[in-house]
Amino acid sequence: MTDHAFTRTFFARIATAAAGLLLSFGALAAGGGPVEQAGTDIGDRASLQRGAQHYMNYCAGCHSLKFMRYSRMAEDLGLTEDEVMNNLNLTGAAYGEHILTSMPAEQSAQWFGQTPPDLSLITRVRGSDWVYTYLKSFYLDESRPLGWNNTLFPNASMPNPLWEMQGLMRPVHGEPDEIGEPVVTHLEMGVPGSQNAQQFDQTVRDITTFLEYVGEPAALKRQQLGVWVLLFLTLLTFLAWLLKQEYWRDVH
C-alpha cells in the first residue's frame, strides 16, 4: 500500500468512527425507542411557512414559543405583517410580542395533569429526528386518561393533535416483556385520516422544520451568510492563484 493510500484509508476510518460516535450520542440524547430521520431543511422557506401554519393551527393552543416573536418570525419566513396577524396570530397578541398560548396554566394542568411545556427549544433538547418520530407515533390506548399513548414516549400525557390528518392508529402487540407488559411492535391504520402516509410525513416534517428554526433562528441567517462566505473564499483562492502565477513567472 502506498503512503497516499494508507493516509486516505486511515482518515476514512477515523471519519467512520467519529460518525458512529455521533450517532450513538444522538440516540442516547433522544431517549426512548428508535427514531426516524426527519429530513428537515430550514433553508426550505415553503416548508417553514407550512410548518408555521400547521403549528399555529394544531399546537399553539397548548404549547407556547416564548422565545420567538411574531415580528421576527415574519421577517425570517418572508411573511408580511398582515399575513402573520390574520393567519398565524390566534391569540390577539401584538405584532412585536412573543408567541404565547391562550390556554390558562391552571386549566391546562387540570386537563392534562401538567402544564404543556414551551416548545421553543424542543429540537435542541431532543433533536429534530425525535420530534419528527414522536409526532408520528401516537396510537389509541383506552387505558390512558385521554385515550392516547405514544410508542416513542410511553404514557405521554397529551392526545394526538394531528389525528384528523394522520388517522386513528392502533397498536399491534408482540410477546410480553419481562414483567408481563404487552409490547407494541408497530402501528396499523384503524380509521384513515384526511392525508395519506406520504402527505402526513411531509406535514410532520414541515412542523419539525419550523420548530428547528425556532430553536435557533440564527441558523437561518448563518446558512444564508455561508453561501456568500464560500463565494468570497472561492474568489480569494482564484486571486491567490493568479498572484502565484505572476510571481513564479518573474522567478523563472
Side-chain angles (χ1 to χ4, degrees):
M1 180 181 294
T2 64
D3 291 342
H4 177 71
F6 174 80
T7 302
R8 184 174 56 186
T9 303
F10 176 73
F11 282 108
R13 289 176 178 175
I14 291 179
T16 302
L21 286 173
L22 289 175
L23 289 173
S24 299
F25 289 142
L28 290 173
V35 297
E36 301 180 40
Q37 291 188 348
T40 56
D41 177 13
I42 61 171
D44 186 345
R45 176 168 285 185
S47 179
L48 285 171
Q49 292 177 350
R50 293 193 303 266
Q53 184 71 66
H54 289 313
Y55 183 89
M56 296 305 171
N57 287 339
Y58 295 97
C59 308
C62 298
H63 298 280
S64 61
L65 298 173
K66 63 182 180 182
F67 297 130
M68 175 59 61
R69 297 179 185 273
Y70 288 101
S71 54
R72 173 65 185 272
M73 179 178 64
E75 177 185 353
D76 289 344
L77 271 58
L79 301 171
T80 66
E81 180 176 350
D82 288 340
E83 288 174 332
V84 169
M85 299 302 286
N86 294 333
N87 301 320
L88 301 181
N89 185 349
L90 306 180
T91 64
Y95 183 58
E97 291 183 348
H98 294 89
I99 302 175
L100 303 177
T101 177
S102 59
M103 178 182 293
E106 294 182 359
Q107 294 185 12
S108 61
Q110 179 181 358
W111 293 335
F112 301 112
Q114 60 182 358
T115 301
D118 179 86
L119 298 183
S120 299
L121 302 177
I122 186 63
T123 58
R124 300 191 66 178
V125 174
R126 291 285 192 175
S128 297
D129 293 346
W130 190 95
V131 172
Y132 174 78
T133 306
Y134 174 74
L135 291 174
K136 295 176 57 180
S137 300
F138 283 95
Y139 64 91
L140 293 173
D141 185 351
E142 296 179 357
S143 68
R144 297 296 299 156
L146 297 177
W148 293 94
N149 210 328
N150 192 285
T151 57
L152 184 63
F153 192 45
N155 300 325
S157 59
M158 65 173 283
N160 182 5
L162 309 176
W163 71 269
E164 292 179 311
M165 292 182 287
Q166 182 183 23
L168 302 179
M169 307 299 293
R170 301 189 181 278
V172 177
H173 295 95
E175 295 295 327
D177 59 17
E178 59 274 7
I179 61 174
E181 293 292 333
V183 176
V184 178
T185 59
H186 62 280
L187 304 178
E188 63 180 16
M189 182 66 69
V191 178
S194 60
Q195 297 183 343
N196 59 38
Q198 184 177 5
Q199 291 171 333
F200 183 70
D201 285 351
Q202 185 61 56
T203 294
V204 176
R205 183 174 297 109
D206 292 339
I207 296 174
T208 306
T209 301
F210 173 68
L211 287 173
E212 185 177 332
Y213 149 73
V214 171
E216 191 179 4
L220 193 61
K221 300 291 185 181
R222 186 167 62 244
Q223 186 180 69
Q224 296 170 352
L225 182 62
V227 176
W228 293 103
V229 171
L230 291 176
L231 289 175
F232 170 77
L233 292 176
T234 301
L235 177 60
L236 183 63
T237 301
F238 177 69
L239 293 176
W241 179 82
L242 290 178
L243 181 62
K244 173 181 175 296
Q245 295 295 104
E246 185 66 26
Y247 173 80
W248 283 106
R249 178 184 304 169
D250 295 338
V251 171
H252 291 299

